[in-house]
Amino acid sequence: DAPTVRKTLLRIAPAEWEDAVASAAAAGAPLPLRTGESPRGLAQRLAPVLFDAAFDPILTSKSPGPGRDILEASANNLYVGVSMADLQRFQERHGLNSRLVKDGDRLVEEVYRVGGKYDREIRRIVGHLEDAIAFAPPATAEALRALIRFYTTGEESDRVAYDIAWVRDQDSSVDTINGFIEVYLDPRGTKGAWEGMVCYVNHERTRRIAALAAHAQWFEDHAPWSPSFRKPEVLGVTAKAIDVLVETGDSGPLTPVGINLPNDQAVRERYGSKSVSLVNVNEAYERSTPEAMRSEFCWDTVEVERATRWGGFSRELTTEMHEVIGHGSGRMAPHVTHTPHELHKEQYSAIEETRADLVALYFLPDPKLVELGLVPAEHVDEIVQAEYEQFARGVLVQLRRVREGAQLEEDHMRNRQLIIHWLMAHTTAIERRVRDGKSYFVMVDAKAFHHGVGELLAEVQRIKGEGDYDAALALTEAYGVHFDTALRDEVVARVDALRLP
């Protein structure tokens, strides 16, 4: 299950599974049989993966418990026979685009490139990119050629060259996000999962997100963190609203609602970044949310009405702010020479997502948004209230996805819980209330919420900017990882009673 990175068991009897494999073999299906292995033997070998809840239960385990290794506790295939201890003296050359395999006493990088691992699939990708060049405007064609070079060589320098070329391509109406990009699947936060997206610009909806990008320097200058972490000159920040044509790999079928790339901190600081808001995805998300889902977890009818009127608007705006002025903001302290993901290790993604959400929540009430025409002046308080309520409510509702265990593993889920639980511990902004045996997270003080967000944001930016791993770990463990299983069971029962898809 992608949002929880926990295994979902096959809901048939083991005997039915064996019969299905045997029937498939009899019908001529190619099966990955070992030498001398029968189809039923294959089914029995794979049975623990499919039926045993204790066997490789978590795809990405960043908090496996004392004394356990995050690589050995994770069930993904990015590492084979490798532990964190094996990496202490190993220098990775292809961190983003390789699988690491232990071969005897040495580690081998199986590089994703033409002639390397996934050669056949990568050649097909390259073929499609070559076909697209003939139809692409000059800047897009240059970026596609750079991407082909990276797919061909697999070298880090060519990946950087592609990131720079892609960021510089700012005017094309059609774009692609393509490559080994997001590192959420890797417990170390190093190895990228492949994704491919093709999209086109929604010019009508781009004005709002473009206004954020055009004024990125203002937001940078007014961020509530130390001036040492502010960019003196924000470069190359662009933003567009897009409609998605196709998503695959890591971006589909479970889709993001907003994206900011590239992830390379050095490229962000020196060349800029591109942000996109996925218009048709956001619209589908809003239209597909049943009214019962809102009303079940809202404290009163006023909150329901506010969520119905402004929830979609505030969610889309804060998503855009998260991507453009959240991920696109801030810099490392001048004395820090390593990348943030190297310094924060498995904590990096949760800390970075926390930081981006906090930026959006902090600036949402700012009069600057009214000045830019992004928020109607007469409805500012309602919109802020709706979003703060929605954010608090969402942390409760997201527990419906985690039906096993007592901790969160996915970084976006951790970051949202971290923010709300920190606010509940340090401010008077949110109350946990119980009525008729049902729990609610009620946002009661928007000013306290905003003040607390600013205080937490300053600390999270310091943690990132200074590469303070110990503080990142302590903050995430205290507020983002563990949850009340009785509360989770209550939420699950309430959602199931609604018979929602």
Side-chain angles (χ1 to χ4, degrees):
D1 180 49
T4 67
V5 299
R6 288 186 172 273
K7 180 167 69 175
T8 299
L9 300 182
L10 196 60
R11 296 180 182 178
I12 61 173
E16 292 178 285
W17 159 245
E18 288 186 28
D19 291 343
V21 173
S23 297
L31 300 176
L33 299 174
R34 293 176 176 173
T35 302
E37 187 175 49
S38 68
R40 289 192 179 275
L42 169 66
Q44 291 167 4
R45 174 163 60 86
L46 297 180
V49 177
L50 303 172
F51 298 100
D52 185 350
F55 184 88
D56 281 349
I58 300 177
L59 190 66
T60 305
S61 181
K62 298 184 180 183
S63 302
R68 298 195 65 199
D69 185 280
I70 60 174
L71 301 187
E72 295 174 340
S74 299
N76 62 61
N77 68 345
L78 300 174
Y79 305 89
V80 179
V82 180
S83 69
M84 289 295 290
D86 295 321
L87 296 171
Q88 290 179 359
R89 294 180 179 85
F90 181 73
Q91 184 64 43
E92 283 178 287
R93 182 177 172 182
H94 306 276
L96 192 69
N97 60 312
S98 73
R99 181 170 77 153
L100 204 53
V101 177
K102 192 168 185 180
D103 182 10
D105 293 331
R106 68 190 187 104
L107 297 182
V108 177
E109 289 183 276
E110 296 181 344
V111 184
Y112 311 149
R113 65 183 174 197
V114 172
K117 192 164 184 63
Y118 303 124
D119 170 73
R120 181 183 63 178
E121 292 81 2
I122 291 174
R123 286 182 188 274
R124 291 188 64 191
I125 296 169
V126 167
H128 288 298
L129 295 173
E130 289 173 337
D131 291 342
I133 287 174
F135 301 93
T140 305
E142 180 181 349
L144 295 179
R145 291 189 189 98
L147 179 56
I148 290 170
R149 281 195 298 274
F150 172 56
Y151 275 132
T152 302
T153 70
E155 294 297 329
E156 174 72 0
S157 59
D158 288 325
R159 194 273 305 161
V160 173
Y162 166 64
D163 280 353
I164 294 170
W166 183 76
V167 166
R168 285 175 171 168
D169 177 19
Q170 299 182 3
D171 300 321
S172 300
S173 293
V174 177
D175 203 355
T176 183
I177 292 171
N178 195 296
F180 305 101
I181 299 172
E182 303 292 1
V183 297
Y184 301 114
L185 185 63
D186 180 8
R188 293 172 60 220
T190 299
K191 302 202 168 297
W194 186 84
E195 66 180 271
M197 175 190 296
V198 178
C199 57
Y200 63 92
V201 176
N202 183 318
H203 293 285
E204 181 181 348
R205 298 287 287 275
T206 289
R207 183 192 67 82
R208 184 169 71 187
I209 191 170
L212 291 170
H215 293 83
Q217 187 68 62
W218 186 93
F219 291 103
E220 186 78 29
D221 294 341
H222 291 80
W225 53 66
S226 168
S228 62
F229 302 124
R230 292 178 185 158
K231 296 177 182 176
E233 184 180 7
V234 177
L235 301 172
V237 174
T238 62
K240 295 176 181 177
I242 63 169
D243 285 311
V244 174
L245 290 169
V246 61
E247 294 174 297
T248 188
D250 199 43
S251 62
L254 290 173
T255 170
V257 294
I259 298 170
N260 176 273
L261 292 172
N263 287 327
D264 188 318
Q265 183 70 22
V267 175
R268 285 180 189 269
E269 292 186 13
R270 296 171 191 168
Y271 299 95
S273 62
K274 287 163 68 171
S275 298
V276 293
S277 174
L278 284 59
V279 172
N280 52 347
V281 169
N282 276 298
E283 289 180 345
Y285 182 87
E286 181 64 20
R287 292 182 185 182
S288 65
T289 301
E291 188 60 34
M293 198 65 172
R294 291 193 184 93
S295 58
E296 175 63 29
F297 293 94
C298 287
W299 178 248
D300 55 27
T301 57
V302 176
E303 185 177 341
V304 174
E305 291 167 1
R306 196 160 34 235
T308 301
R309 184 176 185 187
W310 294 111
F313 176 89
S314 69
R315 181 189 297 111
E316 187 170 349
L317 176 59
T318 51
T319 297
E320 292 166 353
M321 296 167 69
H322 169 111
E323 302 297 346
V324 181
I325 61 173
H327 286 311
S329 65
R331 67 172 181 172
M332 302 300 288
H335 67 276
V336 176
T337 57
H338 289 80
T339 64
H341 91 263
E342 289 176 310
L343 296 168
H344 291 301
K345 305 172 187 176
E346 79 282 358
Q347 302 300 324
Y348 172 69
S349 292
I351 287 296
E352 176 59 16
E353 293 303 327
T354 299
R355 195 182 69 88
D357 266 351
L358 288 168
V359 169
L361 294 169
Y362 179 77
F363 281 112
L364 184 62
D366 200 288
K368 187 68 174 180
L369 298 187
V370 175
E371 178 189 322
L372 296 176
L374 303 182
V375 175
E378 66 274 21
H379 296 299
V380 170
D381 291 344
E382 277 186 285
I383 291 169
V384 171
Q385 184 89 2
E387 181 56 29
Y388 286 0
E389 289 171 339
Q390 187 165 251
F391 200 91
R393 195 166 61 241
V395 169
L396 182 64
V397 176
Q398 73 177 8
L399 293 178
R400 77 192 189 280
R401 299 185 181 277
V402 193
R403 302 193 172 213
E404 303 290 339
Q407 65 184 44
L408 302 177
E409 297 291 346
E410 202 277 330
D411 293 304
H412 297 83
M413 298 178 80
R414 283 185 170 191
N415 109 70
R416 295 173 193 132
Q417 175 167 286
L418 187 161
I419 292 171
I420 293 303
H421 282 203
W422 188 94
L423 290 173
M424 293 174 80
H426 294 88
T427 77
T428 58
I430 302 161
E431 294 179 358
R432 177 176 173 179
R433 297 178 181 174
V434 179
R435 181 178 60 205
D436 300 329
K438 295 181 178 181
S439 301
Y440 301 83
F441 285 0
V442 187
M443 204 290 296
V444 295
D445 189 336
K447 290 184 178 179
F449 190 110
H450 179 254
H451 178 79
V453 161
E455 183 179 344
L456 179 58
L457 176 54
E459 172 61 7
V460 170
Q461 176 60 50
R462 184 203 66 78
I463 289 172
K464 178 185 177 181
E466 294 181 352
D468 190 343
Y469 171 81
D470 291 338
L473 175 63
L475 186 65
T476 306
E477 282 287 329
Y479 301 106
V481 176
H482 311 285
F483 61 81
D484 178 352
T485 56
L487 180 62
R488 182 270 316 279
D489 293 343
E490 176 203 319
V491 170
V492 168
R494 289 164 69 181
V495 170
D496 287 351
L498 297 174
R499 303 182 64 83
L500 300 176

